[in-house]
Each structure stands twice: as C-alpha cells, then as structure tokens.
Amino acid sequence: MVNMAAAVRSLGRVLIHQRHSLSKMAYQTPLYPCSACVQVPNRHFAAAAAAARKPDKKTKKGVKEKASNEKQDEIEKIKSYPFMEGEPEDDVYLKRLYPRQIYDVEKAIHLLKKFQILDYTNPKQGVYLDLTLDMALGKKKKLEPFASVLSLPYPFVSEINKVAVFTWNASEIKIAEENGAAFAGGADLIQKILDDEIKPDFYVAVPEIMPELNPLKKKLKKRFPKLTRNSIGRDIPKMLELFKTGHEIKVDEERENFLKTKIATLDMSTDQIAANLQTVVSEVCRHRPLNLGPFVVRAFLRSSTSEGLLLKMEPLLPKEVETKESNREAV
C-alpha cells in the first residue's frame, strides 16, 4: 500500500509538470505556424498612406494653378481698366487709373520747386535731365556712346576746369598760359600724364602735335582731343574759354543709350533752368542726323530728391528743315 501511494504521488507530479510545459508552449507558439516557411517581403512604407498622398499632390498643384490663373486674370482685369478723364484732383491717387502725366518744361520746373517746399529739402539741390536715346543709324549700324563739352548759358559751377594744351611752339605755350591753361607743353607734358604726375580735366591740342599723342589714346579715352569735340584747333584762347567753364555730357557706356546730366540748381529761375535744358538737348541732337527720326525717345526732369517728371519733347527738338538749311550753308 505504501509503495502504491508513492507511485500515485510520483505520477501526479509528472502530470502537473507536463501540464505546465504544455501551457508554456501554447503561449510561445506563433499565431501563424507556417510563417517560418513563408518568405514575406519587407515593406518600407505604408501603401495605403502613399496612395493617400497622391491626391494631395494633385490637389496642391491644382490649387497653385488656380491661384496663378486668378492672379493673371486680376492683372488682365487691371490692365483693362479704362483711364480716368482729366488729371487727378488730389495728391493721392491710383496711378494705374490715370495715364502718365507729360509736362511742359515750365510746368515741370514749377512742380520740382513745389516738391522742394513741401518736402523741406535743400533749395539749392541739383536739377538733372535723364535722356533715353535711339542710337540706331540704319541697318545693323549703331551710334557709339559719345561725349561732348558745351557752354551753358547759365553756368551753375564756380570752379574752373583744369585744361592741358598740347603744342610744341613756345609762343603758343605762352599764349595758353596767359589764357588760363593749367598745363602747356609737348613731349614732357605727355610723359607727365602717362606717369599720373598731373591730372587735367580736359585736353586740347594744335593739329601738328596730334601724331605724337597716340600713346595717350587708351588713357584719355573719350577725352582724347578730337575735332568733333572742338578740342583740336589753332585758336587756343577760344578752346580754353570753352573747356575752362564747359559742361561735359556723355552717354553711359554700359547702358549705351542713356544720358544723365546735371543742368542747373533748383534755386535758379525757371527761365535759366529751361535755357540750360534746351542747350543740352540741342547739343545731344547734333550727334545724329534728324532724317532718321527723333533722337531723344524719352526725357525726365528731376531734382536730387524728387521723382522724375516726363517731359513733352516735341517743342525742344530741332526741326529737320533747320538742318537742311544749315547743311546748305555748310556746302
């Protein structure tokens, strides 16, 4: 009996141990017993999420296109607005509702003086003329940027320009010095300029010395003596009179068709400013034949602190008839 009871207890312990082992195996057994034999490809992104993004991109693109179209329609709508009749009655207005104002010279000068008073700016500030030029000469030909010196009827600068006179003649050197030349001479003067020992503002010469001045061409550029600039001649006192007090105008070499120059100060009278402006326009138009059409395409008058006022140029431009008569006289 004792042996039988011991055998029953031993069997019970074995059954309990097996039950624990089975339950442990049940928890550790995978849900898909065959998964070890099946190769499932790895997925690096969620297919559903990617599918959902595509309509978003289309939607964003569609929104951008719609916004762009709406903006273009708005621009076209603004362009189609009819201009208001007459001039604006107030100082504050929408520019797009009015055509750009074109002013006579006298009116433009009056407005610049008015702007100065309203803005409390310097009454002696500069007055500038900005010209856009048509540099075309014909088929595939173009006018080179030019420079010239002119005498304004009403000078606004008190400083005297330093002028160098090139000549071999001792008597001409003496005449040049007596008439206010800052420098006068021949080969010695040329070398001093090349060595930057002296820096004149302008250069004039007698015809005989011109072959000797070739080494200065690159250095002087537009200021190299030329007949067209009235800087070559026999009348030394006359050349000095022009260049000592002369006003230089030149076309911008980068933009090639734009000329900006100071023509007066705002404290000068309207008649004086208008006279200087007319002198500059006449000198500019001398560089291109009038039978090719208007040389000055557009002109703005402004002060140092104001906006540019578009000028009515027709009354200021020389007439072709006058040119024909002057050509006959020249012949």
Side-chain angles (χ1 to χ4, degrees):
M1 289 294 290
V2 174
N3 291 335
M4 186 174 180
V8 170
R9 283 196 299 271
S10 178
L11 180 61
R13 282 197 295 270
V14 170
L15 289 175
I16 291 171
H17 177 72
Q18 288 181 351
R19 186 177 65 182
H20 284 298
S21 297
L22 289 173
S23 64
K24 198 172 187 182
M25 289 176 62
Y27 281 113
Q28 292 179 350
T29 302
L31 296 174
Y32 304 98
C34 299
S35 61
C37 302
V38 179
Q39 294 183 352
V40 180
N42 292 331
R43 186 182 298 281
H44 299 288
F45 58 88
R53 284 193 196 105
K54 289 182 181 179
D56 289 343
K57 288 184 180 179
K58 290 181 180 178
T59 305
K60 287 181 182 179
K61 188 176 179 182
V63 169
K64 285 183 180 178
E65 289 178 357
K66 186 178 179 182
S68 178
N69 293 336
E70 287 177 355
K71 187 176 181 181
Q72 189 64 34
D73 292 342
E74 185 67 22
I75 292 171
E76 294 299 327
K77 187 178 179 182
I78 290 171
K79 287 182 179 180
S80 65
Y81 287 159
F83 287 133
M84 303 290 287
E85 294 183 2
E87 297 183 2
E89 297 179 358
D90 198 355
D91 291 338
V92 181
Y93 59 92
L94 293 174
K95 281 188 175 181
R96 59 181 168 80
L97 295 181
Y98 293 89
R100 179 134 201 175
Q101 297 296 305
I102 303 176
Y103 301 97
D104 293 326
V105 172
E106 290 74 14
K107 176 68 173 176
I109 297 170
H110 170 73
L111 286 174
L112 293 182
K113 289 178 176 289
K114 184 180 177 182
F115 295 158
Q116 180 271 316
I117 295 171
L118 293 173
D119 296 337
Y120 297 98
T121 53
N122 185 3
K124 295 185 178 182
Q125 63 187 283
V127 178
Y128 296 86
L129 181 65
D130 298 342
L131 301 177
T132 302
L133 308 175
D134 181 4
M135 303 293 278
L137 289 176
K139 292 182 178 179
K140 297 182 179 179
K141 290 185 179 181
K142 197 175 180 182
L143 185 66
E144 292 294 324
F146 58 85
S148 61
V149 177
L150 64 151
S151 293
L152 294 174
Y154 300 98
F156 54 89
V157 178
S158 58
E159 296 178 1
I160 301 296
N161 298 319
K162 293 182 291 184
V163 184
V165 179
F166 295 107
T167 179
W168 296 110
N169 192 297
S171 62
E172 289 177 338
I173 291 174
K174 186 178 179 181
I175 291 172
E177 291 174 345
E178 289 174 352
N179 285 271
F183 312 98
D188 56 333
L189 190 61
I190 295 171
Q191 192 58 47
K192 286 180 180 179
I193 293 170
L194 289 172
D195 295 339
D196 289 327
E197 291 182 24
I198 58 173
K199 295 183 179 181
D201 298 312
F202 297 106
Y203 307 83
V204 299
V206 295
E208 294 81 9
I209 202 173
M210 287 306 299
E212 304 295 329
L213 301 184
N214 287 332
L216 293 174
K217 274 189 174 181
K218 285 186 178 180
K219 189 172 187 66
L220 303 188
K221 297 181 181 179
K222 297 293 181 183
R223 294 189 176 182
F224 187 80
K226 286 185 180 180
L227 282 170
T228 54
R229 295 189 66 191
N230 300 315
S231 53
I232 300 177
R234 310 269 345 149
D235 194 342
I236 293 175
K238 185 179 179 181
M239 291 191 295
L240 284 171
E241 183 182 357
L242 170 62
F243 285 92
K244 280 196 305 178
T245 58
H247 178 70
E248 185 179 36
I249 58 173
K250 56 184 176 180
V251 176
D252 190 305
E253 293 189 3
E254 291 184 0
R255 297 178 64 175
E256 295 185 343
N257 70 333
F258 183 75
L259 187 150
K260 177 182 75 172
T261 184
K262 186 177 180 179
I263 62 168
T265 54
L266 203 54
D267 61 331
M268 294 168 63
S269 70
T270 299
D271 292 339
Q272 291 174 336
I273 298 174
N276 282 357
L277 187 151
Q278 181 63 72
T279 303
V280 171
V281 171
S282 299
E283 173 62 26
V284 168
C285 292
R286 189 178 64 82
H287 291 267
R288 183 175 179 264
L290 286 180
N291 58 4
L292 296 177
F295 188 24
V296 180
V297 177
R298 190 169 56 179
F300 285 94
L301 189 67
R302 60 181 177 83
S303 68
S304 301
T305 59
S306 76
E307 63 178 293
L309 302 177
L310 185 61
L311 294 179
K312 187 183 293 183
M313 287 302 299
E314 287 78 10
L316 302 173
L317 299 176
K319 305 296 184 291
E320 191 174 351
V321 178
E322 297 175 3
T323 305
K324 289 180 179 178
E325 290 178 356
S326 62
N327 288 340
R328 289 173 186 170
E329 291 176 2
V331 172

